[in-house]
Amino acid sequence: MKKHIQLASAILAGLAILGVQQAEAQIAVKGETVYTMAGVPIKNGVVLLKDGKVEAVGANLQVPQHYKVYTAKVVTPGLVDAHTTVGLAGIYNIPADQQQLEPTAPIQPELRALDAYNPNEQLVEWVRNHGVTTINTGHGPGGLISGQTMTIKTSSDGFATLMDTTNMVVFTLGATVGEHYNSPKTSAKGMAMLRSELQAAQAYAKKSANSDVSKRPDRNLKMEYLVGVLNGKYKALVTANQSQDIMAALRLAKEFNLSLVLDGAAESYLLLDEIKAAVCQLYFTQPWPVQTETLKICRLKRRLYLQRLVSL
């Protein structure tokens, strides 16, 4: 029996599109082009799956009897969204389903994505049905430090597919922070606030290591997670779009030896050498929130930037 998958691609990882009940079935996926991520694409490829696992991949494979056959133009492994708020942000985009930004304070690294993620959110199902099977999701840009991200599968199995409870701590640099909080209102103030908190975390770490238990400070969740950023346990996911804010992120990472991931980075084409020297990761995303900075994006310049960038 043949069915046509009504999507641009047939997703294999986790068999998310095919559903939980079919995950234990014997399935063949035929594609005009099959991407394996381990070599050149396979034309007229076949992927055989048995008991929820990939059994074989190749061109024009013989499909065993009793295998349910699906066809698609393109077959790929499951897609990964490296930075999203899905599961904290809901499909209706109304206050009742928006948990990605806590408006009471601009620096809150202790906020866990785990505590706000809704695995039954319709938006999780929506991205799964469009091929995204793994997400790094959590608190969104908008606060100087808005919280944490976690890594989870979009499977309907929910928290059973949780891969990492705390993967990154989310930072934002730039004018957009002032749209959500009374302070900071400028980039300089924001940087000063971040540096002060990171210095406090350094002092906290030093006191916590005191061999005399009586001299150790009381537990402080905010400080503990900032110490995790300082010692590299958690990456610093920094959303910065204007060149001066990107440069500030690079300086902050150098001063405190942070494991930096730049997100957005709209004007990174102006800082090619500096970014390359910093040896950081880059996530190219549409700037969020869009109210202030979307007009700063020049897709042509970004395209030229990507053409010039050989080995970041």
Coordinates of all heavy atoms in Angstrom, one line a residue, residues 80-167:
V80 N 16.6 20.1 12.8 CA 16.9 20.6 14.2 C 16.7 22.1 14.2 O 17.3 22.8 13.4 CB 18.3 20.2 14.6 CG1 18.7 20.8 16.0 CG2 18.5 18.7 14.6
D81 N 15.9 22.6 15.1 CA 15.8 24.1 15.3 C 16.7 24.4 16.4 O 16.5 24.1 17.6 CB 14.4 24.5 15.6 CG 14.2 26.0 15.5 OD1 15.1 26.7 15.8 OD2 13.0 26.4 15.3
A82 N 17.8 25.1 16.1 CA 18.9 25.4 17.1 C 18.5 26.5 18.1 O 19.2 26.6 19.1 CB 20.2 25.7 16.4
H83 N 17.5 27.3 17.8 CA 17.1 28.3 18.8 C 15.6 28.7 18.5 O 15.3 29.3 17.5 CB 17.9 29.6 18.6 CG 17.6 30.6 19.6 ND1 17.9 32.0 19.5 CD2 17.0 30.6 20.8 CE1 17.5 32.7 20.5 NE2 16.9 31.8 21.4
T84 N 14.8 28.3 19.5 CA 13.3 28.6 19.3 C 12.7 28.8 20.7 O 13.4 28.5 21.7 CB 12.6 27.4 18.6 OG1 11.3 27.7 18.4 CG2 12.8 26.1 19.4
T85 N 11.5 29.2 20.7 CA 10.7 29.3 22.0 C 9.5 28.4 21.9 O 8.6 28.5 22.8 CB 10.3 30.8 22.2 OG1 9.5 31.2 21.2 CG2 11.5 31.7 22.4
V86 N 9.5 27.5 21.0 CA 8.3 26.6 20.8 C 8.1 25.8 22.1 O 9.1 25.2 22.7 CB 8.5 25.6 19.6 CG1 7.5 24.5 19.6 CG2 8.5 26.4 18.3
G87 N 6.9 25.7 22.6 CA 6.6 25.0 23.8 C 6.5 25.9 25.0 O 5.7 25.6 25.9
L88 N 7.2 27.0 24.9 CA 7.0 28.1 25.9 C 6.1 29.2 25.2 O 5.2 29.8 25.9 CB 8.3 28.7 26.3 CG 9.1 28.0 27.4 CD1 9.9 26.8 26.7 CD2 10.1 28.9 28.1
A89 N 6.3 29.4 23.9 CA 5.4 30.2 23.1 C 4.4 29.3 22.5 O 4.7 28.3 21.9 CB 6.2 31.0 22.1
G90 N 3.1 29.8 22.5 CA 2.1 28.9 21.9 C 1.6 29.4 20.6 O 1.9 30.4 20.0
I91 N 0.8 28.5 20.0 CA 0.3 28.7 18.6 C -0.6 29.9 18.4 O -0.7 30.5 17.4 CB -0.3 27.4 18.1 CG1 -0.4 27.4 16.5 CG2 -1.7 27.2 18.7 CD1 -0.7 26.1 16.0
Y92 N -1.3 30.3 19.5 CA -2.3 31.4 19.4 C -1.7 32.8 19.6 O -2.3 33.8 19.3 CB -3.4 31.2 20.4 CG -4.3 30.0 20.1 CD1 -4.2 28.9 20.9 CD2 -5.0 29.9 18.9 CE1 -5.0 27.7 20.7 CE2 -5.8 28.8 18.7 CZ -5.7 27.7 19.5 OH -6.5 26.6 19.3
N93 N -0.4 32.8 20.1 CA 0.3 34.1 20.2 C -0.5 35.1 21.0 O -0.6 36.3 20.6 CB 0.7 34.6 18.9 CG 1.8 35.7 19.0 OD1 2.6 35.7 19.9 ND2 1.8 36.6 18.1
I94 N -1.1 34.6 22.1 CA -1.8 35.5 23.0 C -1.2 35.4 24.4 O -0.4 34.5 24.7 CB -3.3 35.1 23.1 CG1 -3.4 33.6 23.6 CG2 -4.0 35.3 21.8 CD1 -4.8 33.2 23.8
P95 N -1.4 36.4 25.3 CA -0.7 36.4 26.6 C -0.8 35.0 27.4 O 0.1 34.6 28.0 CB -1.4 37.5 27.4 CG -1.8 38.5 26.3 CD -2.2 37.6 25.1
A96 N -1.9 34.4 27.2 CA -2.1 33.1 28.0 C -1.2 32.0 27.5 O -1.0 31.1 28.3 CB -3.6 32.6 27.8
D97 N -0.6 32.1 26.3 CA 0.3 31.0 25.9 C 1.7 31.5 25.6 O 2.4 30.9 24.8 CB -0.3 30.2 24.7 CG -0.4 31.0 23.4 OD1 0.0 32.2 23.4 OD2 -0.9 30.4 22.4
Q98 N 2.0 32.6 26.2 CA 3.4 33.2 26.0 C 4.2 33.1 27.3 O 3.9 34.0 28.2 CB 3.3 34.6 25.4 CG 2.5 34.7 24.1 CD 3.2 33.9 23.0 OE1 4.3 34.2 22.6 NE2 2.5 32.9 22.5
Q99 N 5.1 32.2 27.4 CA 5.8 31.9 28.7 C 7.3 32.2 28.5 O 8.1 31.9 29.4 CB 5.6 30.5 29.2 CG 4.2 30.2 29.5 CD 3.8 30.8 30.9 OE1 4.6 30.8 31.8 NE2 2.6 31.5 31.0
Q100 N 7.7 32.7 27.3 CA 9.1 32.7 27.0 C 9.9 34.0 27.5 O 11.1 34.0 27.5 CB 9.3 32.7 25.5 CG 8.9 33.9 24.7 CD 7.5 33.9 24.3 OE1 6.7 33.3 24.9 NE2 7.1 34.7 23.3
L101 N 9.2 35.0 28.1 CA 9.8 36.1 28.6 C 9.2 36.6 29.9 O 8.0 37.1 29.8 CB 9.8 37.3 27.5 CG 10.7 38.5 27.8 CD1 12.2 38.1 27.9 CD2 10.6 39.6 26.8
E102 N 9.9 36.5 31.0 CA 9.4 37.0 32.3 C 9.7 38.4 32.4 O 10.8 38.9 32.4 CB 10.0 36.2 33.4 CG 9.8 36.7 34.8 CD 8.4 36.8 35.2 OE1 7.6 35.8 34.9 OE2 8.0 37.8 35.7
P103 N 8.6 39.3 32.6 CA 8.8 40.7 32.5 C 9.2 41.4 33.8 O 9.2 42.7 33.9 CB 7.4 41.2 32.0 CG 6.5 40.2 32.6 CD 7.2 38.9 32.6
T104 N 9.4 40.7 34.9 CA 9.6 41.3 36.2 C 11.1 41.8 36.4 O 11.3 42.6 37.3 CB 9.2 40.4 37.3 OG1 9.9 39.2 37.2 CG2 7.7 40.1 37.3
A105 N 12.0 41.2 35.7 CA 13.4 41.6 36.0 C 14.2 41.3 34.7 O 14.0 40.3 34.0 CB 14.0 40.8 37.2
P106 N 15.2 42.1 34.4 CA 16.0 41.9 33.1 C 17.0 40.8 33.2 O 17.5 40.4 32.1 CB 16.6 43.2 32.9 CG 16.8 43.8 34.2 CD 15.6 43.3 35.0
I107 N 17.4 40.3 34.4 CA 18.5 39.3 34.5 C 18.0 38.2 35.4 O 17.8 38.3 36.6 CB 19.8 39.9 35.1 CG1 20.3 41.0 34.3 CG2 20.8 38.8 35.3 CD1 21.6 41.7 34.8
Q108 N 17.6 37.1 34.7 CA 17.0 35.9 35.4 C 17.6 34.6 34.9 O 16.8 33.8 34.3 CB 15.5 36.0 35.3 CG 14.9 37.2 35.9 CD 13.4 37.2 35.8 OE1 12.7 36.8 36.6 NE2 12.9 37.7 34.6
P109 N 18.9 34.3 35.0 CA 19.4 33.1 34.5 C 18.9 31.8 35.1 O 19.0 30.7 34.6 CB 20.9 33.2 34.7 CG 21.0 34.1 35.9 CD 19.9 35.1 35.8
E110 N 18.3 32.0 36.3 CA 17.8 30.8 37.0 C 16.5 30.2 36.5 O 16.0 29.2 36.9 CB 17.6 31.2 38.5 CG 16.5 32.1 38.8 CD 16.8 33.6 38.7 OE1 17.8 33.9 38.0 OE2 16.1 34.4 39.3
L111 N 15.8 30.9 35.5 CA 14.6 30.5 35.0 C 14.8 29.3 34.0 O 15.4 29.4 33.0 CB 13.8 31.6 34.2 CG 13.5 32.8 35.0 CD1 12.7 33.8 34.2 CD2 12.8 32.5 36.3
R112 N 14.2 28.1 34.4 CA 14.4 26.9 33.6 C 13.4 26.8 32.5 O 12.2 26.9 32.8 CB 14.4 25.7 34.5 CG 15.4 25.7 35.6 CD 15.5 24.3 36.3 NE 14.3 23.8 36.8 CZ 14.1 22.6 37.3 NH1 15.1 21.8 37.5 NH2 12.9 22.3 37.8
A113 N 13.8 26.4 31.3 CA 12.9 26.1 30.3 C 12.0 25.0 30.6 O 10.8 24.9 30.3 CB 13.6 25.9 29.0
L114 N 12.6 24.0 31.3 CA 11.9 22.8 31.7 C 10.6 23.1 32.5 O 9.6 22.4 32.4 CB 12.8 22.0 32.6 CG 12.3 20.7 33.2 CD1 12.1 19.7 32.1 CD2 13.3 20.1 34.3
D115 N 10.6 24.2 33.3 CA 9.4 24.5 34.1 C 8.3 25.2 33.4 O 7.2 25.4 34.0 CB 9.9 25.4 35.3 CG 10.9 24.6 36.2 OD1 10.7 23.4 36.4 OD2 11.8 25.3 36.8
A116 N 8.6 25.6 32.2 CA 7.6 26.4 31.4 C 7.2 25.6 30.1 O 6.2 26.0 29.5 CB 8.0 27.8 31.1
Y117 N 7.9 24.6 29.7 CA 7.7 23.9 28.5 C 6.4 23.1 28.6 O 6.2 22.3 29.5 CB 8.8 23.0 28.1 CG 8.7 22.3 26.8 CD1 8.9 22.9 25.6 CD2 8.4 20.9 26.8 CE1 8.8 22.2 24.4 CE2 8.3 20.2 25.6 CZ 8.4 20.9 24.4 OH 8.3 20.2 23.2
N118 N 5.6 23.2 27.5 CA 4.3 22.4 27.4 C 4.4 21.5 26.2 O 4.3 21.9 25.1 CB 3.1 23.4 27.2 CG 1.8 22.6 27.1 OD1 1.7 21.4 27.3 ND2 0.8 23.3 26.7
P119 N 4.7 20.2 26.5 CA 4.8 19.2 25.4 C 3.5 19.0 24.6 O 3.6 18.5 23.5 CB 5.3 18.0 26.1 CG 4.7 18.1 27.5 CD 4.8 19.6 27.8
N120 N 2.4 19.4 25.2 CA 1.1 19.2 24.5 C 0.7 20.5 23.7 O -0.4 20.5 23.1 CB 0.0 18.9 25.5 CG 0.3 17.6 26.3 OD1 0.7 16.6 25.6 ND2 0.2 17.6 27.6
E121 N 1.6 21.5 23.7 CA 1.3 22.7 22.9 C 1.1 22.4 21.5 O 1.9 21.6 20.9 CB 2.4 23.7 23.2 CG 2.5 24.9 22.2 CD 1.2 25.7 22.2 OE1 0.6 26.0 23.3 OE2 0.7 25.9 21.1
Q122 N 0.1 22.9 20.8 CA -0.2 22.6 19.4 C 1.0 23.1 18.5 O 1.2 22.5 17.5 CB -1.4 23.4 19.0 CG -2.7 22.8 19.6 CD -4.0 23.5 19.1 OE1 -4.2 23.7 17.9 NE2 -4.8 24.0 20.1
L123 N 1.7 24.1 18.9 CA 2.8 24.6 18.1 C 3.9 23.5 18.0 O 4.7 23.4 17.0 CB 3.4 25.9 18.7 CG 4.3 26.7 17.8 CD1 3.7 27.0 16.5 CD2 4.8 28.0 18.5
V124 N 4.1 22.7 19.1 CA 5.1 21.6 19.0 C 4.7 20.6 18.0 O 5.5 20.2 17.1 CB 5.2 20.9 20.4 CG1 6.1 19.7 20.3 CG2 5.7 21.9 21.5
E125 N 3.4 20.3 17.9 CA 2.9 19.3 16.9 C 3.1 20.0 15.5 O 3.4 19.3 14.5 CB 1.4 19.0 17.2 CG 0.8 18.1 16.1 CD -0.7 17.8 16.4 OE1 -1.2 18.5 17.3 OE2 -1.2 17.0 15.6
W126 N 2.8 21.3 15.4 CA 2.9 21.9 14.1 C 4.3 21.9 13.5 O 4.5 21.6 12.4 CB 2.4 23.4 14.3 CG 2.3 24.1 13.0 CD1 1.2 24.2 12.2 CD2 3.3 24.9 12.3 NE1 1.4 24.9 11.1 CE2 2.7 25.4 11.1 CE3 4.6 25.3 12.6 CZ2 3.4 26.2 10.2 CZ3 5.3 26.1 11.7 CH2 4.7 26.6 10.6
V127 N 5.3 22.2 14.4 CA 6.7 22.1 13.8 C 7.1 20.7 13.6 O 7.9 20.4 12.6 CB 7.7 22.8 14.8 CG1 7.3 24.3 15.0 CG2 7.8 22.1 16.1
R128 N 6.6 19.8 14.3 CA 6.9 18.3 14.1 C 6.4 17.9 12.7 O 7.1 17.3 11.9 CB 6.3 17.5 15.2 CG 6.6 16.0 15.0 CD 6.2 15.1 16.2 NE 4.7 15.0 16.3 CZ 4.0 15.5 17.3 NH1 4.6 16.1 18.3 NH2 2.7 15.4 17.3
N129 N 5.2 18.4 12.4 CA 4.5 18.0 11.2 C 5.2 18.7 10.0 O 4.9 18.4 8.8 CB 3.1 18.3 11.2 CG 2.3 17.4 12.1 OD1 2.8 16.3 12.4 ND2 1.1 17.8 12.5
H130 N 6.0 19.7 10.2 CA 6.8 20.3 9.2 C 8.2 19.9 9.2 O 9.1 20.6 8.6 CB 6.7 21.9 9.3 CG 5.3 22.4 8.8 ND1 4.2 22.3 9.6 CD2 5.0 23.0 7.7 CE1 3.2 22.8 8.9 NE2 3.6 23.2 7.8
G131 N 8.5 18.8 9.9 CA 9.9 18.2 9.7 C 10.9 18.5 10.8 O 12.0 17.9 10.8
V132 N 10.5 19.3 11.8 CA 11.5 19.6 12.9 C 11.3 18.6 14.0 O 10.2 18.5 14.6 CB 11.2 21.0 13.5 CG1 12.2 21.3 14.6 CG2 11.4 22.0 12.4
T133 N 12.3 17.8 14.3 CA 12.2 16.7 15.2 C 13.0 16.9 16.5 O 12.8 16.2 17.5 CB 12.6 15.3 14.6 OG1 14.0 15.5 14.2 CG2 11.7 15.0 13.4
T134 N 13.8 17.9 16.5 CA 14.6 18.3 17.7 C 14.7 19.8 17.8 O 14.9 20.5 16.8 CB 16.1 17.7 17.6 OG1 16.0 16.3 17.3 CG2 16.8 18.0 18.9
I135 N 14.5 20.3 19.0 CA 14.5 21.7 19.3 C 15.4 22.1 20.5 O 15.4 21.4 21.5 CB 13.1 22.3 19.5 CG1 12.3 21.5 20.6 CG2 12.3 22.3 18.2 CD1 11.0 22.1 20.9
N136 N 16.1 23.2 20.3 CA 16.8 23.8 21.5 C 15.8 25.0 21.8 O 15.9 26.0 21.2 CB 18.2 24.3 21.1 CG 18.8 25.0 22.2 OD1 18.7 24.6 23.4 ND2 19.5 26.1 22.0
T137 N 15.0 24.8 22.8 CA 13.9 25.7 23.1 C 14.0 26.3 24.5 O 14.6 25.6 25.4 CB 12.5 25.1 22.9 OG1 11.6 26.1 22.9 CG2 12.2 24.0 23.9
G138 N 13.4 27.4 24.7 CA 13.5 28.0 26.0 C 13.1 29.4 26.0 O 12.3 29.9 25.2
H139 N 13.7 30.2 27.0 CA 13.3 31.6 27.1 C 13.9 32.4 25.9 O 14.9 32.1 25.4 CB 13.9 32.1 28.4 CG 13.1 31.5 29.6 ND1 13.5 30.3 30.2 CD2 12.0 31.9 30.2 CE1 12.6 30.0 31.1 NE2 11.7 31.0 31.2
G140 N 13.1 33.4 25.5 CA 13.4 34.1 24.3 C 14.2 35.3 24.5 O 14.4 35.8 25.6
P141 N 14.7 35.9 23.4 CA 15.4 37.2 23.5 C 14.5 38.3 24.1 O 13.3 38.2 23.9 CB 15.8 37.5 22.0 CG 15.8 36.1 21.4 CD 14.7 35.4 22.1
G142 N 15.1 39.3 24.7 CA 14.3 40.4 25.2 C 14.8 40.9 26.5 O 14.8 42.1 26.8
G143 N 15.3 40.0 27.4 CA 16.0 40.3 28.6 C 17.5 40.3 28.5 O 18.0 39.6 27.6
L144 N 18.2 41.0 29.4 CA 19.6 40.9 29.4 C 20.0 39.4 29.5 O 20.9 38.9 28.8 CB 20.2 41.8 30.5 CG 20.2 43.3 30.2 CD1 20.8 44.0 31.5 CD2 21.1 43.6 29.0
I145 N 19.4 38.8 30.5 CA 19.5 37.3 30.6 C 18.1 36.8 30.9 O 17.6 37.0 32.0 CB 20.5 36.9 31.7 CG1 21.9 37.5 31.5 CG2 20.6 35.3 31.7 CD1 22.9 37.1 32.5
S146 N 17.5 36.2 30.0 CA 16.0 35.9 30.2 C 15.8 34.5 30.7 O 14.6 34.2 31.1 CB 15.3 36.1 28.8 OG 15.9 35.3 27.8
G147 N 16.8 33.6 30.7 CA 16.6 32.3 31.2 C 17.4 31.3 30.5 O 18.4 31.6 29.9
Q148 N 16.9 30.1 30.5 CA 17.7 28.9 29.9 C 17.0 28.3 28.7 O 15.8 28.6 28.5 CB 17.9 27.9 31.0 CG 18.5 28.4 32.3 CD 18.3 27.4 33.4 OE1 18.1 26.2 33.2 NE2 18.4 27.9 34.7
T149 N 17.8 27.5 28.0 CA 17.2 26.7 26.9 C 17.4 25.2 27.3 O 18.3 24.9 28.1 CB 17.8 26.9 25.6 OG1 19.2 26.4 25.5 CG2 17.8 28.4 25.2
M150 N 16.6 24.4 26.7 CA 16.8 22.9 26.9 C 16.6 22.3 25.5 O 16.1 22.9 24.5 CB 15.7 22.3 27.8 CG 14.3 22.4 27.3 SD 13.1 21.7 28.4 CE 11.7 21.6 27.3
T151 N 17.1 21.0 25.4 CA 17.0 20.3 24.1 C 16.1 19.1 24.3 O 16.2 18.3 25.2 CB 18.4 19.8 23.7 OG1 19.3 20.9 23.7 CG2 18.4 19.1 22.3
I152 N 15.1 19.0 23.4 CA 14.1 18.0 23.5 C 13.6 17.6 22.1 O 13.7 18.4 21.2 CB 12.9 18.5 24.4 CG1 12.0 17.3 24.8 CG2 12.2 19.6 23.7 CD1 11.0 17.7 25.8
K153 N 13.1 16.4 22.0 CA 12.5 16.0 20.7 C 11.1 16.5 20.7 O 10.5 16.7 21.7 CB 12.5 14.4 20.6 CG 13.8 13.8 20.5 CD 14.5 14.0 19.2 CE 15.8 13.3 19.1 NZ 16.4 13.5 17.7
T154 N 10.6 16.7 19.5 CA 9.2 17.2 19.3 C 8.2 16.0 19.3 O 7.0 16.2 19.0 CB 9.0 18.0 18.1 OG1 9.4 17.2 16.9 CG2 9.9 19.2 18.1
S155 N 8.7 14.8 19.6 CA 7.8 13.6 19.7 C 6.6 13.8 20.6 O 6.7 14.6 21.6 CB 8.6 12.4 20.1 OG 7.8 11.4 20.5
S156 N 5.5 13.2 20.4 CA 4.4 13.2 21.2 C 4.7 12.5 22.6 O 3.8 12.6 23.5 CB 3.2 12.6 20.6 OG 3.5 11.2 20.2
D157 N 5.8 11.9 22.7 CA 6.2 11.3 24.0 C 6.6 12.3 25.0 O 6.9 12.0 26.2 CB 7.4 10.3 23.8 CG 6.9 9.0 23.0 OD1 5.7 8.7 23.1 OD2 7.8 8.4 22.4
G158 N 6.7 13.6 24.6 CA 6.9 14.7 25.5 C 8.3 14.6 26.3 O 9.3 14.4 25.7
F159 N 8.2 14.7 27.6 CA 9.4 14.8 28.4 C 10.2 13.5 28.4 O 11.4 13.5 28.8 CB 9.1 15.2 29.9 CG 8.7 16.6 30.0 CD1 7.4 17.0 30.4 CD2 9.7 17.6 29.8 CE1 7.1 18.3 30.5 CE2 9.3 19.0 29.9 CZ 8.1 19.3 30.3
A160 N 9.7 12.4 27.9 CA 10.4 11.2 27.8 C 11.5 11.3 26.8 O 12.5 10.5 26.8 CB 9.5 10.0 27.4
T161 N 11.5 12.3 25.9 CA 12.5 12.5 24.9 C 13.4 13.7 25.2 O 14.2 14.2 24.4 CB 11.8 12.8 23.5 OG1 11.1 14.1 23.6 CG2 10.8 11.7 23.2
L162 N 13.4 14.2 26.5 CA 14.2 15.3 26.9 C 15.7 14.8 26.8 O 16.1 13.8 27.3 CB 13.9 15.7 28.3 CG 14.7 16.8 28.9 CD1 14.3 18.1 28.2 CD2 14.4 17.0 30.4
M163 N 16.5 15.7 26.1 CA 17.9 15.3 25.9 C 18.9 16.1 26.8 O 19.9 15.6 27.2 CB 18.3 15.6 24.5 CG 17.4 14.8 23.4 SD 17.7 15.4 21.8 CE 19.4 14.8 21.5
D164 N 18.5 17.3 27.2 CA 19.4 18.2 28.0 C 18.5 19.2 28.7 O 17.8 20.0 28.1 CB 20.4 18.9 27.2 CG 21.5 19.5 28.0 OD1 21.3 19.7 29.2 OD2 22.6 19.7 27.5
T165 N 18.5 19.2 30.1 CA 17.6 20.1 30.8 C 18.0 21.6 30.7 O 17.2 22.5 30.7 CB 17.5 19.7 32.3 OG1 18.8 19.7 32.8 CG2 16.8 18.3 32.4
T166 N 19.3 21.8 30.7 CA 19.9 23.1 30.5 C 21.0 23.1 29.6 O 22.1 22.5 29.9 CB 20.3 23.7 31.9 OG1 19.2 23.7 32.8 CG2 20.8 25.2 31.7
N167 N 20.8 23.7 28.4 CA 21.9 23.7 27.4 C 22.6 25.0 27.3 O 23.8 25.0 27.2 CB 21.2 23.3 26.0 CG 22.2 23.1 24.9 OD1 23.4 22.7 25.2 ND2 21.8 23.3 23.7

